[in-house]
């Protein structure tokens, strides 16, 4: 049985340097990743964390590749929702400069068949990368549904 | 064995109506879809043709409208313009859902041959990335304004 793998390509009117910076900068990620932040010192083997706005635990991992502005890879291990029982998966970004734009490819693999994390990231990445593209091209981001919950809560308070 | 399927999801800051209109309006498709236009009256059962914007005799893809439920759903068949073998027709489903003041566009290209899968897997991400740029910034990606030999 083949192992699940997620592959997604998106084209962005930007530069490889800007795309790479957005993927590795905590403050920028917080903008387009709906309040979640990537945190690491980006040394090979160092800890990687995705600080989740809505969860008490981080997605943990290690920096596997760091080759700005072309390639970035980290291991990815959610600790919430029972997914800590699954083995860590692997996220690889490839950034290619094309004539008029950047081609960003993400491969997220290393899942066991039936992985719950795989289901989550398959829904999540198109949203996050669509929002990243909006952030870099238009200075806008996409809103996640939990923003509405917060707005409603603030309105009620 | 079932035929391959390609699914691409992209979120766009635009109303579903605007997204559907962009897929049908020649003045918009020429900007993000390789200087091509989609010619049809968009009625169920009608023919649609993916034509060169500047030369309607240059048809890259043709098929029929299978379902139309604007602005939420559009289903087409997809083949070479001279195709007679029913097995050679693939199917494209556009689904547009409102999502948090934006929209989620899901393109499902199913019943594919391996050759068509190769071509469209390269084409859809470029076309749909450029559609998003056009609707959000007013400018498509330059690569998709040019005429390509192969349609995607």
């Amino acid at each position: 049985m083949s192992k699940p793998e997620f592959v997604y390509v998106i084209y962005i009117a930007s530069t490889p340097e800007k795309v790479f910076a957005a993927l590795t900068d905590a403050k920028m990620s917080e903008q387009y990743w709906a309040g979640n932040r990537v945190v690491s010192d980006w040394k090979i083997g160092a800890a990687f964390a995705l600080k989740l706005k809505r969860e008490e635990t981080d997605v943990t991992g290690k920096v596997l590749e760091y080759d700005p502005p072309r390639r970035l890879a980290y291991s990815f291990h959610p600790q919430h929702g029972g997914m800590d029982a699954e083995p860590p998966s692997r996220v690889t970004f490839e950034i290619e400069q094309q004539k008029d734009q950047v081609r960003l490819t993400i491969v997220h693999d290393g899942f066991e068949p039936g992985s719950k994390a795989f289901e989550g990231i398959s829904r999540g990445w198109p949203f996050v990368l669509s929002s990243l593209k909006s952030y870099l091209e238009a200075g806008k981001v996409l809103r996640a549904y939990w923003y509405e919950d917060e707005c409603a809560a603030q309105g009620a308070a | 064995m079932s035929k391959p399927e390609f699914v691409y999801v992209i979120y766009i800051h635009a109303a579903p109506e605007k997204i559907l209109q962009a897929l049908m309006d020649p003045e918009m498709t020429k900007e993000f879809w390789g200087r091509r236009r989609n010619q049809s009256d968009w009625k169920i059962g009608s023919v649609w043709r993916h034509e060169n914007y500047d030369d309607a005799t240059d048809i890259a893809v043709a098929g029929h409208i299978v379902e139309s439920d604007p602005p939420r759903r559009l289903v087409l068949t997809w083949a070479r313009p001279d195709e007679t073998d029913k097995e050679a027709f693939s199917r494209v489903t556009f689904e547009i859902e409102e999502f948090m003041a934006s929209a989620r566009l899901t393109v499902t290209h199913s019943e594919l041959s391996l050759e068509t899968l190769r071509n469209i897997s390269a084409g859809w991400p470029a076309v749909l990335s450029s559609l998003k740029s056009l609707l959000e910034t007013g400018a498509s990606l330059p690569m998709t304004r040019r005429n390509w030999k192969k349609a995607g």
Side-chain angles (χ1 to χ4, degrees):
Chain A
M1 189 168 170
S2 66
K3 292 193 169 183
E5 177 186 77
F6 178 83
V7 181
Y8 191 85
V9 176
I10 194 163
Y11 294 82
I12 305 175
S14 187
T15 64
E17 288 77 11
K18 284 181 182 167
V19 173
F20 197 90
L23 291 173
T24 50
D25 185 273
K27 281 196 174 150
M28 281 196 255
S29 63
E30 189 170 27
Q31 296 292 309
Y32 67 80
W33 210 320
N36 298 336
R37 287 183 296 138
V38 293
V39 176
S40 179
D41 66 12
W42 301 112
K43 296 194 169 75
I44 305 290
F48 159 83
L50 178 63
K51 303 234 170 238
L52 299 174
K53 190 178 173 69
R54 286 185 307 159
E55 302 292 340
E56 292 188 350
T57 55
D58 303 337
V59 176
T60 59
K62 282 194 164 64
V63 179
L64 303 174
E65 293 182 55
Y66 182 80
D67 180 15
R70 263 173 296 275
R71 221 174 136 86
L72 175 70
Y74 44 75
S75 56
F76 189 94
H77 197 188
Q79 303 297 310
H80 63 281
M83 291 182 280
D84 55 324
E86 296 184 9
S89 54
R90 178 189 173 105
V91 180
T92 306
F93 297 98
E94 268 183 48
I95 302 167
E96 296 162 66
Q97 170 80 70
Q98 296 192 324
K99 194 174 172 192
D100 305 306
Q101 69 267 320
V102 170
R103 177 184 152 109
L104 171 62
T105 305
I106 177 174
V107 177
H108 196 156
D109 59 5
F111 298 99
E112 295 296 320
S115 163
K116 189 177 166 193
F118 178 74
E119 273 180 43
I121 65 95
S122 299
R123 279 196 306 273
W125 284 122
F127 173 82
V128 172
L129 299 171
S130 291
S131 187
L132 168 65
K133 176 175 162 74
S134 298
Y135 174 71
L136 290 170
E137 290 185 358
K140 294 184 285 192
V141 297
L142 293 160
R143 289 192 297 162
Y145 59 87
W146 58 88
Y147 276 19
E148 287 302 283
D149 299 344
E150 282 175 10
C151 291
Q154 279 167 12
Chain B
M1 193 173 153
S2 65
K3 287 184 169 180
E5 177 179 281
F6 176 87
V7 181
Y8 193 86
V9 177
I10 192 163
Y11 291 77
I12 302 176
H13 268 299
E17 291 79 6
K18 294 275 182 196
I19 296 171
L20 184 66
Q21 186 200 349
L23 295 169
M24 295 173 160
D25 178 355
E27 299 309 312
M28 297 191 81
T29 57
K30 78 173 167 55
E31 299 294 321
F32 71 86
W33 210 331
R35 202 163 173 85
R36 292 201 163 260
R37 63 178 174 187
N38 297 321
Q39 185 63 47
S40 180
D41 66 10
W42 305 105
K43 293 191 176 113
I44 291 170
S46 289
V47 169
W48 79 282
R49 290 188 301 272
H50 191 57
E51 301 172 350
N52 184 329
Y53 180 84
D54 305 297
D55 175 7
T57 66
D58 172 13
I59 303 166
V61 178
H64 290 86
I65 311 299
V66 180
E67 282 181 54
S68 173
D69 180 15
R72 261 167 283 281
R73 196 174 157 87
L74 176 67
V75 184
L76 323 161
T77 61
W78 176 289
R80 291 194 181 90
D82 53 356
E83 190 58 65
T84 53
D85 177 7
K86 275 189 180 174
E87 286 292 304
F89 280 80
S90 56
R91 178 180 285 242
V92 178
T93 301
F94 298 95
E95 284 174 279
I96 307 169
E97 299 153 90
E98 278 184 46
F99 183 88
M100 301 300 303
S102 295
R104 172 171 51 216
L105 169 61
T106 305
V107 176
T108 304
H109 200 150
S110 58
E111 297 168 40
L112 289 162
S113 68
L114 286 174
E115 187 197 349
T116 311
L117 174 66
R118 251 196 319 277
N119 293 335
I120 62 93
S121 296
W124 283 122
V127 168
L128 299 171
S129 291
S130 189
L131 166 64
K132 175 174 164 75
S133 297
L134 178 64
L135 289 172
E136 293 187 1
T137 71
S140 61
L141 298 173
M143 129 186 108
T144 65
R145 295 179 209 150
R146 296 189 283 270
N147 201 350
W148 306 327
K149 280 203 166 164
K150 273 186 175 161

